[in-house]
Amino acid sequence: MIKNTNFPKLDMGSPQTLRGKSVAIIGGTGGIGRALSKHFAAYQAKVIVVGQTFRDADVEGIEFIKADLSLMSEARRVAALLPVETLDMLIFTTGIFAAPKRQGTAEGLERDMAVSYLNRLVIMREIAERLGSENTTKTRVFIMGYPGSGKMGTLGDLNAENHYRPMEVHMNTVAGNEIMVLDGANNHKNISVFGLNPGLIKTNIRSNFLGGNKLLFRLLETIIGIFTSTAEQYAKVITPLLISPQLDDYSGTLFNNKCRAIKPSKGIIDSHHMQLFINQSWSLIDAASKKQK
Ligand SMILES: NC(=O)c1ccc[n+]([C@@H]2O[C@H](COP(=O)([O-])OP(=O)(O)OC[C@H]3O[C@@H](n4cnc5c(N)ncnc54)[C@H](OP(=O)(O)O)[C@@H]3O)[C@@H](O)[C@H]2O)c1
């Protein structure tokens, strides 16, 4: 992650301005998304969270849409349920880590690609044109992942059918999400699109990577927890950036966990590479959709 030292210092927004704002967090039921949803609700935003397990039924201001976003059919259903015309913010935090052995979804997709990246593409394609169409300000879309990692993605076998290497698969989801930001900012001038890299935070994300080894998972997350911020601390730090009055002037920017702009990964900004990556991603989604019928 290389800081973009030429980026201007933005005025931070006051959390009080969240009152009455309409926010959807895809992946807002756990980890960082959940911390954001609770923080926003505490400032009286109207929050919709999408995920598999709702843990905040007792929190006022948070509504729940249950969905298994490993399935593209579910991503389409969620897209149809969201109040897209009036959303102020849409945040993608759904994610897992590729397992030691390849896992496939019922639609034939590699599971990490489906959950951490492809469903986001589907949702965005379904709603991007309508986002915020009844608002006076642009909808802000935040795509969380690990942008600026330096990885541009390995083309040719995005579904990992020929060779399965968990880290390579996961880095393809990372590249896909970074491309979504850069391409989305170019192609959708009606909205603002940003990438968020939260750095290491103790959550559930690595449980799948360790193949269900609970002891190792707890040990790793305890160590991460000692040295890094909690999801709640991150939510508190990043919120003023998400509501900065100047942010819409910088659509396409990637930010680290200190609200500093970071440079895109070398190679990713090549428009030919981006297009190939997106085309190959859509081939997978189309094949998955046919399988489902
Ligand atoms: N934590 C880190 O160290 C770290 C580092 C770099 C980047 N990130 C990025 O930050 C984002 C949030 O990660 P996190 O650490 O908060 O992870 P997390 O605690 O594991 O939360 C992931 C979220 O994804 C949802 N989810 C997982 N599988 C799903 C499925 N099949 N259908 C619907 N929802 C599903 C979970 O919902 P349920 O619990 O309801 O299933 C949960 O709300 C991800 O994009 C991740 O790549 C995290």
Side-chain angles (χ1 to χ4, degrees), residues 97-289:
F97 223 100
K101 284 202 178 127
R102 188 182 185 282
Q103 296 175 320
T105 70
E107 294 173 342
L109 295 172
E110 190 288 321
R111 192 173 172 75
D112 191 11
M113 284 294 282
V115 175
S116 306
Y117 163 55
L118 293 172
N119 76 82
R120 300 177 176 192
L121 261 191
V122 171
I123 293 174
M124 276 303 280
R125 175 167 284 186
E126 296 282 318
I127 67 174
E129 292 305 315
R130 289 181 291 125
L131 266 175
S133 57
E134 291 176 17
N135 292 351
T136 50
T137 52
K138 286 185 180 182
T139 303
R140 294 178 178 180
V141 177
F142 298 96
I143 298 176
M144 194 169 285
Y146 211 73
S149 69
K151 300 284 182 198
M152 57 191 281
T154 312
L155 289 166
D157 185 25
L158 289 184
N159 207 26
E161 281 164 279
N162 301 327
H163 297 285
Y164 181 74
R165 293 185 202 89
M167 196 46 100
E168 187 175 303
V169 166
H170 192 68
M171 292 323 284
N172 277 341
T173 75
V174 166
N177 279 297
E178 186 168 337
I179 289 170
M180 270 187 79
V181 176
L182 305 172
D183 182 70
N186 269 337
N187 288 328
H188 302 296
K189 300 295 180 196
N190 59 316
I191 55 177
S192 302
V193 190
F194 307 93
L196 297 176
N197 185 329
L200 272 185
I201 293 183
K202 179 183 173 187
T203 66
N204 202 36
I205 192 102
R206 282 161 287 269
S207 57
N208 205 40
F209 184 58
L210 299 173
N213 185 331
K214 289 197 172 117
L215 193 66
L216 195 58
F217 171 67
R218 270 197 223 114
L219 185 68
L220 178 69
E221 294 305 310
T222 304
I223 295 168
I224 289 175
I226 292 170
F227 294 104
T228 61
S229 307
T230 62
E232 290 71 25
Q233 285 165 334
Y234 172 74
K236 213 170 158 186
V237 166
I238 206 75
T239 295
L241 172 75
L242 308 189
I243 51 178
S244 162
Q246 298 156 317
L247 198 63
D248 291 322
D249 295 338
Y250 302 97
S251 183
T253 305
L254 314 168
F255 292 98
N256 70 9
N257 56 0
K258 307 264 187 316
C259 304
R260 301 284 298 267
I262 49 178
K263 291 191 171 167
S265 301
K266 235 181 175 177
I268 268 195
I269 34 180
D270 172 61
S271 57
H272 181 62
H273 175 77
M274 277 206 265
Q275 205 47 60
L276 281 176
F277 200 100
I278 291 168
N279 291 349
Q280 292 187 15
S281 303
W282 275 104
S283 297
L284 294 184
I285 295 168
D286 292 343
S289 307

Side-chain angles (χ1 to χ4, degrees), residues 20-38:
K21 293 270 189 265
S22 173
V23 182
I25 308 181
I26 317 295
T29 50
I32 301 169
R34 182 180 180 205
L36 283 167
S37 75
K38 288 167 79 172

Side-chain angles (χ1 to χ4, degrees), residues 2-16:
I2 304 170
K3 273 186 218 154
N4 181 350
T5 44
N6 295 324
F7 195 80
K9 201 168 173 358
L10 300 183
D11 293 339
M12 295 287 115
S14 158
Q16 313 298 337

